[in-house]
């Protein structure tokens, strides 16, 4: 058993456990206050339990996804613990980014599996909901652009036979998955039933949707950026390795930064003009 | 926020409850011309009713000219005070779009579709069959007698009416 591999595998396991521990922690008062400041609902005895439950549930699913992704990322190390002679390069393409894919899928699952029931049956607002009520169009445009870049890069790589075929195909697959995650996630967030039409619950409802939409767009931005980063690297690694590395790194960093900002920092007020009777 | 409320226990059908509430909102100006209504699926999900029920209410409202379906904006409130010519053109365009889609769906050619439309429009415009009227100098009984004396092919095409 190699000491180096043992150290690395132990570190990956520790990080995965830390992610799980933090993710399964119940939101504290500070988390709730911060979230309310970002999205605008009033925290009171009625709304607090629902918001706490929603935040805790989403956090658990995202953490589980990220931890699973970390385990996949660390799989070569675990295998090398058993078989030190085996090269760690046996892992498939993008396996190093499995933690991103896992966390992104966790974010999508948290939204798609969220079954919201109306608190006041038989009432509805005559207001059409659209995805851009809940998230800025700019990051969505960014996701669309990087998906196009990743797919164009993959196509170029396949046609010109540049780069490693499996990596290029994996980048295209990840880009398509990011697109699917974005479309399905936003569709579900817009479509699920409204909590209630009273002003207080309307704001909570909008906030839950806005939080979900920002997380889904952030996750798909990270995933699409990782895909584009890989595609660009595969295209440029032989013709211009320095430029390829730089662009690839920048794409990857921008994707992660956007994910972080949308998930944790963005302040959003739902842009729906509610007509008043 | 303009809302609708459905009473499941009411004797009034759900689609009618929905239709009448939206109609009131439009006629009182609470919903303005051009404003988008929720999609059928969204409203059905919010009210926890079948999409077909919402679809029926929307269809009735569209038939009354209160709402219309715009290609990109979905279902919108129609402008009740709009220029009648423009409004007529818009409704004609919508109807033509639906007709063209249906004709395409059943595999009819453009010529067949136009011919069917022309035939239908001609028969609709013609209204009830009008027959030439002959005036007779006699009374009602004499007029009937005159009509009976005509050859059957001719008597089916004309009407005889007494002059006095």
């Amino acid at each position: 058993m190699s000491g180096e591999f043992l150290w690395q595998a132990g570190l990956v396991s520790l990080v995965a456990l830390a992610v799980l521990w933090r993710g399964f922690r119940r939101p504290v008062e500070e988390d709730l206050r911060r979230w309310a400041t970002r999205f605008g609902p009033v925290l009171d005895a009625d709304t607090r339990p629902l918001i706490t439950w929603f935040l805790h549930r989403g956090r658990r699913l995202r953490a589980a996804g990220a931890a699973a992704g970390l385990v996949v990322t660390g799989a070569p190390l675990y295998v090398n613990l058993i078989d030190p002679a085996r090269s760690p390069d046996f892992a498939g393409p993008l396996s190093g980014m499995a933690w991103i894919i896992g966390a992104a899928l966790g974010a999508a699952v948290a939204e798609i599996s969220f079954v919201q029931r109306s608190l006041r049956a038989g009432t509805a607002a005559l207001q059409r909901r659209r995805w851009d009520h809940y998230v800025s169009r700019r990051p969505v445009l960014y996701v669309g652009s990087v998906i196009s870049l990743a797919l164009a890069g993959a196509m170029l790589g396949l046609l010109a036979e540049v780069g490693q075929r499996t990596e290029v195909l994996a980048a295209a697959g990840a880009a398509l998955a990011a697109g699917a995650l974005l479309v399905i996630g936003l569709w579900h967030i817009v479509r699920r039933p409204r909590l209630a039409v009273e002003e207080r619950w309307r704001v909570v409802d909008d906030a839950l949707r806005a939080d979900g939409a920002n997380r889904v767009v952030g996750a798909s931005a990270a995933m699409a950026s990782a895909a584009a980063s890989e595609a660009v690297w595969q295209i440029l690694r032989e013709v211009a390795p320095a430029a390829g590395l730089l662009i690839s790194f920048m794409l990857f960093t921008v994707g992660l930064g956007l994910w972080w900002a949308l998930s944790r920092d963005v302040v959003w007020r739902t842009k729906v003009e509610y007509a008043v009777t | 926020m303009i809302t609708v409320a459905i009473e499941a226990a009411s004797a009034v059908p759900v689609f009618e409850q929905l239709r009448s509430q939206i109609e009131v909102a439009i006629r009182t100006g609470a919903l303005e011309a051009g404003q988008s209504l929720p999609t059928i699926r969204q409203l059905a999900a919010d009210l926890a009713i079948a999409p077909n029920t919402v679809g029926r209410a929307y269809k009735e409202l569209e038939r009354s000219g209160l709402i219309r379906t715009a290609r990109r904006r979905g279902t919108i409130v129609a402008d009740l005070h709009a220029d009648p010519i423009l409004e007529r053109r818009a409704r004609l365009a919508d109807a033509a779009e639906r007709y063209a889609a249906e004709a395409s769906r059943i595999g009819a050619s453009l010529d067949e579709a136009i011919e069917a439309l022309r035939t239908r429009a001609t028969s609709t415009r013609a209204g009830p069959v009008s027959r030439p009227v002959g005036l007779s100098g006699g009374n009602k009984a004499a007029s009937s007698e005159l009509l009976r004396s005509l050859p059957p092919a001719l008597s089916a095409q004309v009407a005889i009416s007494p002059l006095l």
Side-chain angles (χ1 to χ4, degrees):
Chain A
M1 190 181 291
S2 160
E4 186 193 352
F5 287 137
L6 182 64
W7 183 84
Q8 289 177 2
L11 187 64
V12 169
S13 306
L14 272 178
V15 173
L17 284 173
V19 166
L20 276 180
W21 175 79
R22 191 169 159 71
F24 277 69
R25 191 172 54 97
R26 201 174 167 77
V28 293
E29 187 59 29
E30 176 56 27
D31 296 329
L32 291 176
R33 265 209 302 273
R34 197 161 174 273
W35 190 82
T37 308
R38 287 176 61 208
F39 296 109
V42 175
L43 292 170
D44 58 28
D46 292 332
T47 61
R48 192 181 294 268
L50 175 73
I51 293 171
T52 307
W53 174 82
F54 175 82
L55 293 184
H56 193 201
R57 178 184 175 281
R59 187 184 269 184
R60 280 198 310 255
L61 286 166
R62 286 189 298 276
L70 276 166
V71 171
V72 174
T73 307
L77 300 170
Y78 299 127
V79 172
N80 282 127
L81 284 179
I82 302 161
D83 182 8
R86 189 163 193 169
S87 163
D89 294 339
F90 74 89
L94 290 179
S95 74
M97 295 179 187
W99 63 277
I100 294 181
I101 296 169
L105 288 177
V109 168
E111 294 308 322
I112 293 166
S113 65
F114 178 42
V115 182
Q116 183 165 286
R117 301 229 179 271
S118 178
L119 298 174
R120 308 268 187 278
T123 56
L126 288 178
Q127 177 69 53
R128 189 174 185 188
R129 294 191 289 270
R130 293 199 321 257
W131 65 265
D132 59 351
H133 291 160
Y134 306 106
V135 63
S136 169
R137 282 170 175 264
R138 284 181 201 160
V140 177
L141 199 64
Y142 169 81
V143 177
S145 306
V146 286
I147 287 174
S148 306
L149 178 65
L151 292 177
M155 195 166 284
L156 182 68
L158 290 173
L159 291 176
E161 294 183 352
V162 182
Q164 291 179 317
R165 190 179 166 80
T166 45
E167 267 80 350
V168 167
L169 283 173
L176 289 174
L181 189 153
L182 179 76
V183 171
I184 296 170
L186 290 182
W187 179 78
H188 188 84
I189 286 165
V190 169
R191 189 174 162 265
R192 68 192 183 208
R194 185 176 283 284
L195 274 176
V197 293
E198 290 89 349
E199 176 66 10
R200 183 175 54 145
W201 286 110
R202 197 264 300 163
V203 177
V204 172
D205 180 272
D206 283 343
L208 297 180
R209 287 180 211 272
D211 182 33
N214 278 283
R215 285 187 185 279
V216 162
V217 173
S220 53
M223 208 161 147
S225 295
S229 164
E230 183 64 29
V232 166
W233 170 239
Q234 290 301 322
I235 297 299
L236 296 179
R237 62 187 290 181
E238 282 164 22
V239 287
L245 203 60
L246 181 68
I247 296 171
S248 177
F249 176 74
M250 279 174 62
L251 275 169
F252 189 65
T253 312
V254 167
L256 285 187
L258 195 56
W259 191 8
W260 179 269
L262 288 172
S263 305
R264 297 186 59 87
D265 294 332
V266 80
V267 174
W268 187 260
R269 293 291 180 271
T270 297
K271 291 177 178 172
V272 183
E273 289 181 9
Y274 290 100
V276 177
T277 45
Chain B
M1 183 159 48
I2 299 156
T3 60
V4 285
I6 298 300
E7 282 184 40
S10 169
V12 180
V14 172
F15 91 88
E16 179 53 30
Q17 292 182 45
L18 191 57
R19 188 203 64 75
S20 60
Q21 288 178 57
I22 297 174
E23 180 173 356
V24 168
I26 293 172
R27 292 208 185 277
T28 56
L31 282 174
E32 293 173 358
Q35 194 170 329
S36 292
L37 288 178
T39 62
I40 289 175
R41 286 193 174 277
Q42 180 195 314
L43 198 50
D46 285 2
L47 291 168
I49 59 177
N52 283 348
T53 308
V54 181
R56 189 171 171 194
Y58 274 18
K59 199 169 273 181
E60 295 282 330
L61 289 163
E62 192 165 8
R63 208 169 286 160
S64 315
L66 293 170
I67 62 173
R68 64 189 180 87
T69 308
R71 186 174 282 243
R72 284 178 178 262
R73 295 176 58 202
T75 307
I76 60 169
V77 177
D79 188 353
L80 301 180
H81 311 293
D83 181 339
I85 296 171
L86 292 178
E87 177 65 17
R88 194 180 65 190
R89 279 185 194 156
R91 295 184 70 172
L92 197 59
D94 284 346
E97 190 178 320
R98 287 196 299 276
Y99 178 61
E102 180 62 17
S104 165
R105 195 181 64 78
I106 62 173
S109 69
L110 182 61
D111 287 342
E112 281 176 318
I114 291 172
E115 188 52 39
L117 187 62
R118 187 173 287 132
T119 306
R120 182 70 187 167
T122 308
S123 66
T124 305
R125 282 197 182 141
V129 177
S130 57
R131 296 187 292 173
V133 177
L135 299 175
S136 74
N139 58 17
K140 212 169 186 176
S143 300
S144 300
E145 186 59 33
L146 178 60
L147 188 60
R148 273 198 295 276
S149 69
L150 292 173
L154 188 58
S155 66
Q157 292 177 25
V158 299
I160 301 294
S161 176
L163 193 57
L164 297 173

